[in-house]
Protein backbone atom coordinates (compact mmCIF):
# COMPACT_ATOMS: atom_id res chain seq x y z
CA UNK A 1 0.00 0.00 0.00
CA UNK A 2 1.40 3.34 -0.99
CA UNK A 3 0.96 6.18 1.46
CA UNK A 4 -1.08 9.38 1.28
CA UNK A 5 0.06 11.75 -1.39
CA UNK A 6 1.97 14.86 -0.38
CA UNK A 7 2.99 17.89 -2.44
CA UNK A 8 0.55 16.79 -5.13
CA UNK A 9 -2.04 18.92 -6.89
CA UNK A 10 -4.65 17.71 -9.35
CA UNK A 11 -6.51 18.96 -12.40
CA UNK A 12 -9.77 17.31 -13.46
CA UNK A 13 -10.83 18.00 -17.05
CA UNK A 14 -14.55 18.55 -17.47
CA UNK A 15 -15.02 21.25 -20.08
CA UNK A 16 -15.95 19.01 -22.98
CA UNK A 17 -19.47 18.68 -24.27
CA UNK A 18 -19.88 14.93 -24.04
CA UNK A 19 -21.76 14.87 -27.34
CA UNK A 20 -22.24 11.12 -27.32
CA UNK A 21 -24.42 11.26 -24.21
CA UNK A 22 -27.04 13.06 -26.33
CA UNK A 23 -28.09 14.98 -23.29
CA UNK A 24 -28.96 18.49 -22.23
CA UNK A 25 -27.22 17.77 -18.93
CA UNK A 26 -23.40 18.10 -18.84
CA UNK A 27 -21.93 14.62 -19.06
CA UNK A 28 -20.05 14.72 -15.75
CA UNK A 29 -23.27 15.56 -13.89
CA UNK A 30 -25.17 12.44 -14.87
CA UNK A 31 -25.92 10.49 -11.70
CA UNK A 32 -24.03 7.31 -10.98
CA UNK A 33 -24.79 5.34 -7.81
CA UNK A 34 -26.48 8.40 -6.38
CA UNK A 35 -23.77 10.98 -7.12
CA UNK A 36 -22.77 13.00 -10.17
CA UNK A 37 -20.09 11.20 -12.18
CA UNK A 38 -17.48 13.84 -11.37
CA UNK A 39 -18.04 13.58 -7.63
CA UNK A 40 -16.76 10.00 -7.72
CA UNK A 41 -13.53 11.33 -9.24
CA UNK A 42 -13.20 13.99 -6.53
CA UNK A 43 -13.93 11.46 -3.76
CA UNK A 44 -11.24 9.10 -5.10
CA UNK A 45 -8.71 11.94 -5.33
CA UNK A 46 -9.53 12.95 -1.79
CA UNK A 47 -9.11 9.33 -0.64
CA UNK A 48 -5.65 9.41 -2.25
CA UNK A 49 -4.83 12.50 -0.23
CA UNK A 50 -5.40 15.22 -2.84
CA UNK A 51 -7.67 17.94 -1.51
CA UNK A 52 -9.32 20.68 -3.55
CA UNK A 53 -8.33 19.75 -7.09
CA UNK A 54 -8.94 22.20 -9.91
CA UNK A 55 -11.89 21.28 -12.11
CA UNK A 56 -11.72 22.77 -15.60
CA UNK A 57 -15.20 23.71 -16.76
CA UNK A 58 -16.61 24.91 -20.06
CA UNK A 59 -19.79 23.34 -21.42
CA UNK A 60 -22.50 23.70 -18.77
CA UNK A 61 -19.96 25.51 -16.60
CA UNK A 62 -22.43 26.98 -14.08
CA UNK A 63 -24.03 23.62 -13.34
CA UNK A 64 -20.70 21.84 -13.03
CA UNK A 65 -19.26 24.58 -10.82
CA UNK A 66 -22.31 24.38 -8.53
CA UNK A 67 -22.01 20.59 -8.31
CA UNK A 68 -18.35 20.61 -7.24
CA UNK A 69 -18.63 23.65 -4.99
CA UNK A 70 -16.86 23.08 -1.70
CA UNK A 71 -14.86 20.13 -3.01
CA UNK A 72 -12.86 21.73 -5.78
CA UNK A 73 -11.58 24.99 -7.21
CA UNK A 74 -12.80 25.68 -10.72
CA UNK A 75 -11.27 27.34 -13.77
CA UNK A 76 -13.13 28.07 -16.98
CA UNK A 77 -11.77 27.06 -20.36
CA UNK A 78 -13.39 29.25 -23.00
CA UNK A 79 -13.24 28.22 -25.86
CA UNK A 80 -12.36 24.52 -25.53
CA UNK A 81 -9.19 24.09 -27.55
CA UNK A 82 -8.29 20.58 -26.48
CA UNK A 83 -6.97 18.70 -23.46
CA UNK A 84 -3.57 20.46 -23.38
CA UNK A 85 -5.31 23.83 -23.46
CA UNK A 86 -7.55 22.63 -20.62
CA UNK A 87 -4.53 21.70 -18.50
CA UNK A 88 -2.96 25.10 -19.20
CA UNK A 89 -6.14 26.71 -17.84
CA UNK A 90 -6.20 24.32 -14.87
CA UNK A 91 -2.65 25.23 -13.86
CA UNK A 92 -3.77 28.82 -13.29
CA UNK A 93 -5.22 28.49 -9.78
CA UNK A 94 -2.54 26.07 -8.52
CA UNK A 95 -0.29 28.14 -6.31
CA UNK A 96 1.03 25.62 -3.76
CA UNK A 97 4.53 24.37 -4.36
CA UNK A 98 3.50 20.91 -5.56
CA UNK A 99 6.15 18.65 -7.06
CA UNK A 100 3.53 16.54 -8.82
CA UNK A 101 0.40 17.38 -10.74
CA UNK A 102 -2.13 14.68 -11.41
CA UNK A 103 -4.29 15.20 -14.49
CA UNK A 104 -7.39 13.10 -14.92
CA UNK A 105 -10.75 13.17 -16.68
CA UNK A 106 -14.00 14.12 -15.02
CA UNK A 107 -15.74 11.25 -16.79
CA UNK A 108 -13.65 8.43 -15.24
CA UNK A 109 -15.54 7.72 -12.00
CA UNK A 110 -14.34 4.18 -11.29
CA UNK A 111 -10.64 4.95 -10.95
CA UNK A 112 -9.47 3.74 -7.55
CA UNK A 113 -7.38 6.04 -5.30
CA UNK A 114 -4.46 3.61 -5.67
CA UNK A 115 -4.12 4.58 -9.32
CA UNK A 116 -3.29 8.17 -8.39
CA UNK A 117 -0.86 7.07 -5.69
CA UNK A 118 0.85 4.57 -7.98
CA UNK A 119 1.33 7.11 -10.78
CA UNK A 120 2.93 9.66 -8.46
CA UNK A 121 5.12 7.00 -6.81
CA UNK A 122 6.28 5.73 -10.21
CA UNK A 123 7.03 9.22 -11.51
CA UNK A 124 9.04 10.13 -8.40
CA UNK A 125 10.91 6.84 -8.28
CA UNK A 126 12.30 7.51 -11.76
CA UNK A 127 12.38 11.29 -11.73
CA UNK A 128 10.27 11.03 -14.89
CA UNK A 129 8.55 13.96 -16.57
CA UNK A 130 5.34 11.92 -16.94
CA UNK A 131 3.88 8.71 -15.56
CA UNK A 132 0.74 7.75 -17.44
CA UNK A 133 -1.83 4.99 -16.99
CA UNK A 134 -2.56 2.49 -19.73
CA UNK A 135 -4.95 -0.43 -20.12
CA UNK A 136 -5.51 -3.21 -22.66
CA UNK A 137 -8.80 -3.09 -24.50
CA UNK A 138 -10.32 -5.79 -26.67
CA UNK A 139 -11.79 -2.97 -28.70
CA UNK A 140 -9.48 0.05 -28.44
CA UNK A 141 -11.55 2.14 -30.89
CA UNK A 142 -11.69 5.81 -29.96
CA UNK A 143 -8.76 5.80 -27.54
CA UNK A 144 -5.23 7.12 -27.95
CA UNK A 145 -2.82 4.21 -28.51
CA UNK A 146 0.36 3.72 -26.48
CA UNK A 147 3.24 3.26 -28.92
CA UNK A 148 6.34 1.55 -27.52
CA UNK A 149 9.81 0.92 -28.91
CA UNK A 150 11.55 -2.47 -29.13
CA UNK A 151 12.77 -2.20 -25.53
CA UNK A 152 9.20 -1.56 -24.40
CA UNK A 153 9.71 2.12 -23.63
CA UNK A 154 6.84 4.42 -24.59
CA UNK A 155 7.62 6.72 -27.50
CA UNK A 156 4.30 8.37 -28.26
CA UNK A 157 0.56 8.39 -27.79
CA UNK A 158 -1.24 8.50 -31.10
CA UNK A 159 -4.86 9.58 -31.20
CA UNK A 160 -7.30 7.40 -33.11
CA UNK A 161 -7.87 9.98 -35.82
CA UNK A 162 -4.13 10.31 -36.50
CA UNK A 163 -3.34 6.58 -36.31
CA UNK A 164 -2.35 4.42 -39.29
CA UNK A 165 -3.45 0.77 -39.65
CA UNK A 166 -0.71 -0.88 -37.57
CA UNK A 167 -1.06 1.75 -34.83
CA UNK A 168 -4.82 1.23 -34.68
CA UNK A 169 -4.14 -2.47 -34.13
CA UNK A 170 -2.37 -1.68 -30.83
CA UNK A 171 -4.62 -2.74 -27.98
CA UNK A 172 -2.81 -0.78 -25.25
CA UNK A 173 -4.64 2.52 -24.77
CA UNK A 174 -4.04 5.79 -22.96
CA UNK A 175 -6.40 5.98 -19.99
CA UNK A 176 -6.14 9.77 -19.72
CA UNK A 177 -4.74 9.89 -16.19
CA UNK A 178 -1.22 11.16 -15.57
CA UNK A 179 1.25 12.32 -12.94
CA UNK A 180 3.45 15.14 -14.20
CA UNK A 181 6.63 16.72 -12.91
CA UNK A 182 5.04 20.03 -11.94
CA UNK A 183 7.90 22.28 -13.02
CA UNK A 184 8.35 20.52 -16.33
CA UNK A 185 4.60 20.65 -17.02
CA UNK A 186 4.45 24.39 -16.31
CA UNK A 187 7.37 25.01 -18.65
CA UNK A 188 5.98 22.82 -21.45
CA UNK A 189 2.20 23.14 -21.60
CA UNK A 190 2.15 26.33 -23.67
CA UNK A 191 4.50 24.75 -26.21
CA UNK A 192 2.04 22.01 -27.23
CA UNK A 193 1.34 22.65 -30.93
CA UNK A 194 -2.14 22.66 -32.46
CA UNK A 195 -3.08 19.43 -34.21
CA UNK A 196 -4.61 19.23 -37.69
CA UNK A 197 -8.04 19.74 -36.10
CA UNK A 198 -6.84 22.85 -34.29
CA UNK A 199 -6.98 21.15 -30.89
CA UNK A 200 -4.00 21.03 -28.54
CA UNK A 201 -3.51 17.41 -27.47
CA UNK A 202 -2.25 16.75 -23.98
CA UNK A 203 -0.88 13.49 -25.31
CA UNK A 204 1.69 15.39 -27.40
CA UNK A 205 3.57 16.01 -24.14
CA UNK A 206 4.87 12.43 -24.36
CA UNK A 207 7.02 13.05 -27.44
CA UNK A 208 7.95 16.49 -26.11
CA UNK A 209 9.27 14.99 -22.85
CA UNK A 210 11.32 12.43 -24.73
CA UNK A 211 12.73 15.19 -27.00
CA UNK A 212 13.68 17.04 -23.78
CA UNK A 213 15.64 13.94 -22.72
CA UNK A 214 13.16 13.13 -19.95
CA UNK A 215 11.67 9.79 -19.10
CA UNK A 216 8.01 8.81 -19.59
CA UNK A 217 6.73 5.90 -17.50
CA UNK A 218 3.64 3.78 -18.05
CA UNK A 219 1.63 2.18 -15.24
CA UNK A 220 -0.48 -0.56 -16.78
CA UNK A 221 -3.84 -1.07 -15.12
CA UNK A 222 -5.03 -4.68 -14.93
CA UNK A 223 -8.76 -4.05 -15.27
CA UNK A 224 -9.72 -1.74 -18.11
CA UNK A 225 -13.27 -1.27 -16.80
CA UNK A 226 -11.91 0.38 -13.65
CA UNK A 227 -10.40 3.19 -15.67
CA UNK A 228 -12.95 3.60 -18.40
CA UNK A 229 -14.14 7.04 -19.37
CA UNK A 230 -17.90 7.30 -19.79
CA UNK A 231 -18.70 8.51 -23.28
CA UNK A 232 -22.31 7.39 -23.75
CA UNK A 233 -25.23 6.01 -21.76
CA UNK A 234 -24.34 2.42 -22.53
CA UNK A 235 -21.01 2.96 -20.75
CA UNK A 236 -22.86 4.79 -18.00
CA UNK A 237 -24.90 1.65 -17.34
CA UNK A 238 -21.76 -0.51 -17.41
CA UNK A 239 -20.15 1.83 -14.85
CA UNK A 240 -23.28 1.75 -12.71
CA UNK A 241 -23.25 -2.02 -12.58
CA UNK A 242 -19.55 -2.14 -11.75
CA UNK A 243 -19.85 0.47 -9.06
CA UNK A 244 -22.93 -1.16 -7.47
CA UNK A 245 -21.07 -4.43 -7.22
CA UNK A 246 -18.06 -2.71 -5.68
CA UNK A 247 -20.25 -0.96 -3.10
CA UNK A 248 -22.12 -4.17 -2.24
CA UNK A 249 -18.88 -6.09 -1.84
CA UNK A 250 -17.48 -3.46 0.47
CA UNK A 251 -20.53 -3.72 2.73
CA UNK A 252 -20.36 -7.51 2.69
CA UNK A 253 -16.70 -7.40 3.69
CA UNK A 254 -17.69 -5.09 6.55
CA UNK A 255 -20.17 -7.61 7.92
CA UNK A 256 -23.44 -6.83 6.14
CA UNK A 257 -25.45 -9.66 4.58
CA UNK A 258 -26.67 -8.83 1.08
CA UNK A 259 -28.81 -11.75 0.06
CA UNK A 260 -28.90 -10.93 -3.64
CA UNK A 261 -26.44 -8.26 -4.81
CA UNK A 262 -27.85 -8.47 -8.34
CA UNK A 263 -31.22 -7.04 -7.30
CA UNK A 264 -29.93 -4.69 -4.60
CA UNK A 265 -28.98 -1.07 -5.35
CA UNK A 266 -26.97 0.74 -2.72
CA UNK A 267 -25.78 4.28 -3.35
CA UNK A 268 -22.23 5.33 -2.60
CA UNK A 269 -22.30 6.94 0.83
CA UNK A 270 -25.02 4.75 2.41
CA UNK A 271 -23.94 3.45 5.82
CA UNK A 272 -24.94 -0.01 7.02
CA UNK A 273 -24.19 -1.50 10.44
CA UNK A 274 -22.82 -4.91 11.25
CA UNK A 275 -25.09 -7.93 10.86
CA UNK A 276 -27.75 -5.92 9.11
CA UNK A 277 -29.43 -7.97 6.41
CA UNK A 278 -30.43 -6.52 3.05
CA UNK A 279 -33.05 -8.67 1.35
CA UNK A 280 -33.56 -8.83 -2.44
CA UNK A 281 -35.09 -6.05 -4.56
CA UNK A 282 -34.04 -3.31 -2.21
CA UNK A 283 -32.89 0.20 -3.11
CA UNK A 284 -30.97 2.27 -0.56
CA UNK A 285 -30.37 5.82 -1.69
CA UNK A 286 -28.70 9.06 -0.69
CA UNK A 287 -27.67 9.68 2.90
CA UNK A 288 -29.36 6.55 4.26
CA UNK A 289 -28.05 4.99 7.48
CA UNK A 290 -29.05 1.45 8.48
CA UNK A 291 -28.18 0.37 12.01
CA UNK A 292 -26.84 -3.00 12.99
CA UNK A 293 -29.11 -6.05 12.99
CA UNK A 294 -31.75 -4.25 10.95
CA UNK A 295 -33.48 -6.24 8.22
CA UNK A 296 -34.38 -4.22 5.15
CA UNK A 297 -36.34 -5.70 2.24
CA UNK A 298 -37.45 -7.55 0.32
CA UNK A 299 -38.78 -4.72 -1.82
CA UNK A 300 -37.79 -1.75 0.30
CA UNK A 301 -37.04 1.63 -1.24
CA UNK A 302 -35.28 3.85 1.27
CA UNK A 303 -34.01 7.35 0.50
CA UNK A 304 -32.17 9.72 2.88
CA UNK A 305 -33.54 7.85 5.92
CA UNK A 306 -32.33 6.23 9.13
CA UNK A 307 -33.37 2.75 10.22
CA UNK A 308 -32.65 1.74 13.80
CA UNK A 309 -31.14 -1.40 15.29
CA UNK A 310 -33.17 -4.61 14.85
CA UNK A 311 -35.87 -2.79 12.96
CA UNK A 312 -37.51 -4.57 10.04
CA UNK A 313 -38.66 -2.70 6.94
CA UNK A 314 -40.16 -4.56 4.01
CA UNK A 315 -42.13 -3.80 0.87
CA UNK A 316 -42.26 -0.13 1.84
CA UNK A 317 -41.06 3.28 0.72
CA UNK A 318 -39.21 5.58 3.14
CA UNK A 319 -38.20 9.13 2.24
CA UNK A 320 -36.27 11.51 4.51
CA UNK A 321 -37.61 9.71 7.56
CA UNK A 322 -36.33 7.86 10.58
CA UNK A 323 -37.43 4.71 12.33
CA UNK A 324 -36.02 3.89 15.76
CA UNK A 325 -35.05 0.48 17.12
CA UNK A 326 -37.08 -2.72 17.24
CA UNK A 327 -39.83 -1.38 15.02
CA UNK A 328 -41.63 -3.00 12.11
CA UNK A 329 -42.57 -1.14 8.97
CA UNK A 330 -44.52 -2.77 6.18
CA UNK A 331 -45.62 -4.33 4.10
CA UNK A 332 -46.97 -1.41 2.08
CA UNK A 333 -46.13 1.52 4.26
CA UNK A 334 -45.10 4.91 2.88
CA UNK A 335 -43.11 7.18 5.17
CA UNK A 336 -43.00 10.54 3.47
CA UNK A 337 -40.46 13.27 4.33
CA UNK A 338 -40.27 14.28 7.95
CA UNK A 339 -41.66 11.11 9.52
CA UNK A 340 -40.12 10.01 12.79
CA UNK A 341 -41.28 6.60 13.96
CA UNK A 342 -40.40 5.54 17.51
CA UNK A 343 -39.03 2.36 19.00
CA UNK A 344 -41.17 -0.81 18.85
CA UNK A 345 -43.78 0.81 16.61
CA UNK A 346 -45.75 -1.36 14.20
CA UNK A 347 -46.51 0.48 10.99
CA UNK A 348 -48.39 -1.83 8.73
CA UNK A 349 -50.45 -2.41 5.73
CA UNK A 350 -51.20 0.64 3.64
CA UNK A 351 -50.08 3.08 6.29
CA UNK A 352 -49.00 6.55 5.17
CA UNK A 353 -47.18 8.96 7.45
CA UNK A 354 -46.02 12.45 6.52
CA UNK A 355 -44.13 15.02 8.60
CA UNK A 356 -45.21 13.42 11.85
CA UNK A 357 -43.76 11.91 14.97
CA UNK A 358 -45.13 8.59 16.11
CA UNK A 359 -44.12 7.80 19.70
CA UNK A 360 -42.55 4.59 20.93
CA UNK A 361 -44.77 1.52 21.02
CA UNK A 362 -47.54 2.96 18.89
CA UNK A 363 -49.32 0.91 16.27
CA UNK A 364 -50.78 1.86 12.91
CA UNK A 365 -51.74 -1.39 11.30
CA UNK A 366 -54.27 -0.86 8.55
CA UNK A 367 -54.85 1.66 5.73
CA UNK A 368 -54.45 4.90 7.56
CA UNK A 369 -53.03 8.40 7.01
CA UNK A 370 -51.18 10.43 9.62
CA UNK A 371 -49.95 13.85 8.46
CA UNK A 372 -48.60 16.90 10.31
CA UNK A 373 -49.25 15.06 13.57
CA UNK A 374 -47.59 14.39 16.87
CA UNK A 375 -48.67 10.96 18.06
CA UNK A 376 -47.69 9.95 21.58
CA UNK A 377 -46.43 6.65 22.92
CA UNK A 378 -48.39 3.40 22.95
CA UNK A 379 -51.15 4.85 20.83
CA UNK A 380 -53.36 2.47 18.87
CA UNK A 381 -54.29 3.99 15.52
CA UNK A 382 -57.38 2.08 14.44
CA UNK A 383 -57.88 0.87 10.89
CA UNK A 384 -58.79 3.62 8.49
CA UNK A 385 -57.96 6.47 10.85
CA UNK A 386 -57.10 9.67 9.07
CA UNK A 387 -55.85 13.13 9.92
CA UNK A 388 -57.83 15.66 7.92
CA UNK A 389 -54.85 17.99 8.02
CA UNK A 390 -55.63 20.12 4.99
CA UNK A 391 -58.60 22.46 4.76
CA UNK A 392 -58.01 23.33 1.14
CA UNK A 393 -55.80 26.30 1.98
CA UNK A 394 -53.40 25.36 4.73
CA UNK A 395 -52.08 22.41 6.70
CA UNK A 396 -53.02 22.06 10.40
CA UNK A 397 -51.48 20.01 13.20
CA UNK A 398 -52.98 17.08 15.09
CA UNK A 399 -51.79 16.06 18.55
CA UNK A 400 -52.60 12.67 20.02
CA UNK A 401 -51.52 11.96 23.60
CA UNK A 402 -49.92 8.83 25.03
CA UNK A 403 -52.06 5.67 25.24
CA UNK A 404 -54.90 7.09 23.14
CA UNK A 405 -57.07 4.49 21.42
CA UNK A 406 -58.34 5.69 18.04
CA UNK A 407 -61.30 3.60 16.96
CA UNK A 408 -61.55 2.34 13.42
CA UNK A 409 -62.25 5.08 10.93
CA UNK A 410 -61.54 7.99 13.26
CA UNK A 411 -61.30 11.29 11.37
CA UNK A 412 -59.18 13.89 13.13
CA UNK A 413 -60.17 17.27 11.71
CA UNK A 414 -57.10 19.42 12.37
CA UNK A 415 -56.17 21.49 14.23
CA UNK A 416 -57.19 19.18 17.03
CA UNK A 417 -55.76 17.62 20.19
CA UNK A 418 -56.76 14.31 21.73
CA UNK A 419 -55.63 14.12 25.34
CA UNK A 420 -53.69 11.29 26.98
CA UNK A 421 -55.54 8.04 27.46
CA UNK A 422 -58.63 9.17 25.52
CA UNK A 423 -60.62 6.82 23.30
CA UNK A 424 -62.55 7.49 20.11
CA UNK A 425 -65.39 5.31 18.90
CA UNK A 426 -65.58 3.69 15.51
CA UNK A 427 -66.29 6.31 12.87
CA UNK A 428 -65.75 9.26 15.23
CA UNK A 429 -65.24 12.59 13.48
CA UNK A 430 -63.16 14.56 15.94
CA UNK A 431 -63.62 18.26 15.32
CA UNK A 432 -62.94 19.57 18.84
CA UNK A 433 -60.20 18.85 21.35
CA UNK A 434 -60.77 15.78 23.50
CA UNK A 435 -59.89 15.96 27.20
CA UNK A 436 -57.50 13.35 28.63
CA UNK A 437 -59.17 10.06 29.50
CA UNK A 438 -62.44 10.88 27.73
CA UNK A 439 -64.23 8.63 25.28
CA UNK A 440 -65.79 10.42 22.32
CA UNK A 441 -68.10 8.98 19.70
CA UNK A 442 -70.16 9.96 16.69
CA UNK A 443 -70.10 12.73 14.12
CA UNK A 444 -69.15 15.23 15.28
CA UNK A 445 -67.54 13.34 18.12
CA UNK A 446 -68.87 14.15 21.59
CA UNK A 447 -68.12 12.62 24.99
CA UNK A 448 -69.96 9.32 25.21
CA UNK A 449 -71.90 10.22 28.39
CA UNK A 450 -73.58 13.15 26.61
CA UNK A 451 -74.49 10.91 23.67
CA UNK A 452 -76.02 8.29 25.97
CA UNK A 453 -78.22 10.84 27.66
CA UNK A 454 -79.38 12.22 24.34
CA UNK A 455 -80.50 8.82 23.08
CA UNK A 456 -82.21 7.72 26.33
CA UNK A 457 -85.99 8.30 25.70
CA UNK A 458 -86.72 9.54 29.25
CA UNK A 459 -84.00 12.16 29.14
CA UNK A 460 -85.55 15.42 28.01
CA UNK A 461 -82.36 17.36 28.76
CA UNK A 462 -80.27 15.55 26.18
CA UNK A 463 -77.69 17.14 23.98
CA UNK A 464 -79.61 18.94 21.24
CA UNK A 465 -76.67 18.82 18.85
CA UNK A 466 -76.45 15.05 18.92
CA UNK A 467 -77.57 13.34 15.77
CA UNK A 468 -79.59 10.17 15.54
CA UNK A 469 -76.74 7.95 14.47
CA UNK A 470 -76.46 4.69 16.36
CA UNK A 471 -74.01 5.17 19.16
CA UNK A 472 -71.67 2.57 20.61
CA UNK A 473 -72.08 1.84 24.27
CA UNK A 474 -69.33 1.42 26.81
CA UNK A 475 -65.99 0.50 25.33
CA UNK A 476 -67.04 -0.52 21.87
CA UNK A 477 -65.45 -3.80 20.97
CA UNK A 478 -65.01 -2.50 17.42
CA UNK A 479 -63.20 0.62 18.40
CA UNK A 480 -59.68 -0.76 18.74
CA UNK A 481 -58.81 -0.96 15.09
CA UNK A 482 -58.09 -4.62 14.67
CA UNK A 483 -55.11 -6.65 15.72
C1 LIG B 1 -8.57 11.56 -24.55
C2 LIG B 1 -7.09 11.35 -24.87
C3 LIG B 1 -6.90 9.91 -25.35
C4 LIG B 1 -7.40 8.94 -24.30
C5 LIG B 1 -8.82 9.26 -23.90
C6 LIG B 1 -9.20 8.43 -22.68
C7 LIG B 1 -6.25 13.51 -25.66
C8 LIG B 1 -5.89 14.31 -26.84
N1 LIG B 1 -6.69 12.28 -25.91
O1 LIG B 1 -9.29 11.39 -25.74
O2 LIG B 1 -5.53 9.65 -25.63
O3 LIG B 1 -7.31 7.62 -24.79
O4 LIG B 1 -8.97 10.64 -23.53
O5 LIG B 1 -10.55 8.59 -22.37
O6 LIG B 1 -6.11 13.97 -24.56
N2 LIG B 1 -11.78 18.38 -22.26
C9 LIG B 1 -11.65 19.69 -21.80
N3 LIG B 1 -11.35 20.67 -22.68
C10 LIG B 1 -11.17 20.43 -24.00
C11 LIG B 1 -11.30 19.10 -24.47
C12 LIG B 1 -11.60 18.09 -23.57
O7 LIG B 1 -11.81 19.93 -20.61
O8 LIG B 1 -10.90 21.40 -24.73
C13 LIG B 1 -12.08 17.33 -21.29
C14 LIG B 1 -13.38 16.61 -21.58
O9 LIG B 1 -14.45 17.22 -20.87
C15 LIG B 1 -13.11 15.22 -21.05
C16 LIG B 1 -11.62 15.06 -21.19
O10 LIG B 1 -11.08 16.36 -21.35
O11 LIG B 1 -13.42 15.08 -19.66
C17 LIG B 1 -11.25 14.20 -22.40
O12 LIG B 1 -11.74 14.80 -23.57
P1 LIG B 1 -12.27 13.91 -24.76
O13 LIG B 1 -12.64 14.82 -25.87
O14 LIG B 1 -13.29 12.95 -24.26
O15 LIG B 1 -10.94 13.14 -25.16
P2 LIG B 1 -10.85 11.79 -25.92
O16 LIG B 1 -11.05 12.00 -27.37
O17 LIG B 1 -11.70 10.78 -25.26
CA1 LIG C 1 -13.38 10.65 -23.57
Amino acid sequence: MSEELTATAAIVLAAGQGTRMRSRIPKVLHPLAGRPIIEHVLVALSAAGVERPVVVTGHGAEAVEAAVDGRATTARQEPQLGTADAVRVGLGPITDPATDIIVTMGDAPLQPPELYRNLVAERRRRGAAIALASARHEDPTGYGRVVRDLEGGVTAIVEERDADGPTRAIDEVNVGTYAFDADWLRGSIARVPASASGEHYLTDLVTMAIADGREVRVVEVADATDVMGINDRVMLAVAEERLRRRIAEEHMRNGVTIVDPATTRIDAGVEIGQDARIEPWTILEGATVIAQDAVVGPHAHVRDSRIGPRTRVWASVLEESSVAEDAQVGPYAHLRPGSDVGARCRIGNFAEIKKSRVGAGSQQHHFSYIGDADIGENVNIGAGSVTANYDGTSKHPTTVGDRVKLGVDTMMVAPVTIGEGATTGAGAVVTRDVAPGKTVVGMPARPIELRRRSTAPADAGGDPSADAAPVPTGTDRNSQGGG
Side-chain angles (χ1 to χ4, degrees):
M1 259 269 155
S2 36
E3 42 196 77
E4 289 256 302
L5 288 172
T6 52
T8 303
I11 300 172
V12 179
L13 306 188
Q17 193 171 2
T19 326
R20 283 166 286 178
M21 292 297 277
R22 295 180 177 268
S23 178
R24 284 162 292 135
I25 304 163
K27 172 164 79 175
V28 295
L29 297 189
H30 277 258
L32 179 70
R35 292 174 173 163
I37 289 173
I38 193 167
E39 197 178 321
H40 292 279
V41 179
L42 302 180
V43 167
L45 279 168
S46 162
V50 183
E51 296 303 334
R52 289 200 80 81
V54 177
V55 172
V56 179
T57 63
H59 278 278
E62 282 90 4
V64 177
E65 283 157 10
V68 303
D69 188 40
R71 274 197 181 277
T73 305
T74 57
R76 277 202 200 181
Q77 184 200 17
E78 214 80 77
Q80 289 87 43
L81 298 176
T83 46
D85 180 61
V87 168
R88 184 188 58 74
V89 170
L91 282 170
I94 299 176
T95 50
D96 25 315
T99 60
D100 287 72
I101 293 176
I102 292 169
V103 173
T104 191
M105 309 294 186
D107 66 357
L110 300 182
Q111 291 184 158
E114 292 75 50
L115 177 62
Y116 304 121
R117 294 200 197 102
N118 292 346
L119 284 169
V120 171
E122 176 70 5
R123 193 207 69 75
R124 286 182 183 170
R125 197 169 61 82
R126 305 287 298 206
I130 310 171
L132 64 91
S134 79
R136 306 251 169 208
H137 264 282
E138 252 172 56
D139 176 13
T141 312
Y143 287 96
R145 308 299 203 280
V146 177
V147 181
R148 295 179 183 256
D149 60 22
L150 292 174
E151 283 81 50
V154 58
T155 57
I157 292 171
V158 179
E159 293 305 302
E160 170 99 9
R161 60 209 125 188
D162 304 324
D164 56 19
T167 307
R168 285 188 185 207
I170 296 172
D171 70 347
E172 187 181 11
V173 306
N174 173 34
V175 162
T177 296
Y178 320 78
F180 288 99
D181 172 331
D183 290 337
W184 181 82
L185 181 64
R186 283 186 198 281
S188 309
I189 196 73
R191 293 192 281 133
V192 176
S195 69
S197 66
E199 270 187 52
H200 299 260
Y201 292 161
L202 186 60
T203 43
D204 282 350
L205 285 171
V206 170
T207 46
M208 285 169 61
I210 292 163
D212 283 354
R214 298 290 302 267
E215 203 174 348
V216 178
R217 303 293 299 172
V218 178
V219 172
E220 203 179 319
V221 175
D223 189 335
T225 310
D226 272 352
V227 292
M228 73 183 213
I230 294 174
N231 288 327
D232 60 26
R233 299 196 204 216
V234 174
M235 294 170 94
L236 181 64
V238 171
E240 182 87 27
E241 194 187 349
R242 170 63 62 108
L243 199 51
R244 296 290 185 189
R245 175 149 285 275
R246 227 194 246 174
I247 292 166
E249 283 173 3
E250 204 180 310
H251 287 296
M252 292 188 269
R253 288 206 185 85
N254 287 338
V256 176
T257 296
I258 297 178
V259 176
D260 182 19
T263 63
T264 305
R265 296 279 177 275
I266 304 174
D267 276 359
V270 169
E271 293 172 33
I272 311 180
Q274 195 178 30
D275 287 318
R277 185 179 167 89
I278 311 302
E279 298 273 355
W281 307 104
T282 290
I283 302 172
L284 306 177
E285 294 180 323
T288 289
V289 180
I290 312 255
Q292 53 187 35
D293 302 312
V295 180
V296 182
H299 291 283
H301 187 170
V302 182
R303 176 174 64 77
D304 296 326
S305 295
R306 304 182 76 88
I307 294 177
R310 299 172 301 281
T311 283
R312 168 109 211 256
V313 172
W314 62 295
S316 292
V317 176
L318 277 62
E319 308 169 82
E320 296 167 41
S321 290
S322 71
V323 182
E325 68 273 16
D326 299 304
Q328 265 183 41
V329 176
Y332 319 122
H334 185 184
L335 270 50
R336 291 168 51 203
S339 300
D340 178 6
V341 171
R344 302 180 311 284
C345 283
R346 300 280 180 273
I347 307 298
N349 304 276
F350 306 101
E352 176 183 354
I353 304 177
K354 185 216 73 174
K355 212 173 172 187
S356 296
R357 178 188 79 101
V358 179
S362 291
Q363 318 227 350
Q364 180 185 359
H365 280 285
H366 320 281
F367 38 91
S368 169
Y369 171 59
I370 297 297
D372 303 302
D374 188 77
I375 309 286
E377 297 186 357
N378 299 308
V379 170
N380 190 78
I381 301 167
S385 290
V386 162
T387 52
N389 57 327
Y390 185 55
D391 60 14
T393 325
S394 26
K395 303 279 169 69
H396 299 286
T398 299
T399 305
V400 176
D402 295 344
R403 297 176 309 283
V404 163
K405 296 185 168 68
L406 299 173
V408 295
D409 243 337
T410 294
M411 299 289 135
M412 289 158 277
V413 183
V416 74
T417 296
I418 300 177
E420 273 186 32
T423 300
T424 64
V429 178
V430 184
T431 56
R432 296 190 216 163
D433 289 356
V434 177
K438 284 282 176 195
T439 296
V440 296
V441 296
M443 185 193 81
R446 308 301 315 276
I448 195 163
E449 58 273 20
L450 296 181
R451 289 276 178 185
R452 274 202 201 118
R453 262 187 277 147
S454 74
T455 49
D459 188 355
D463 177 9
S465 75
D467 57 37
V471 164
T473 52
T475 307
D476 183 357
R477 67 194 150 81
N478 290 326
S479 72
Q480 296 304 308

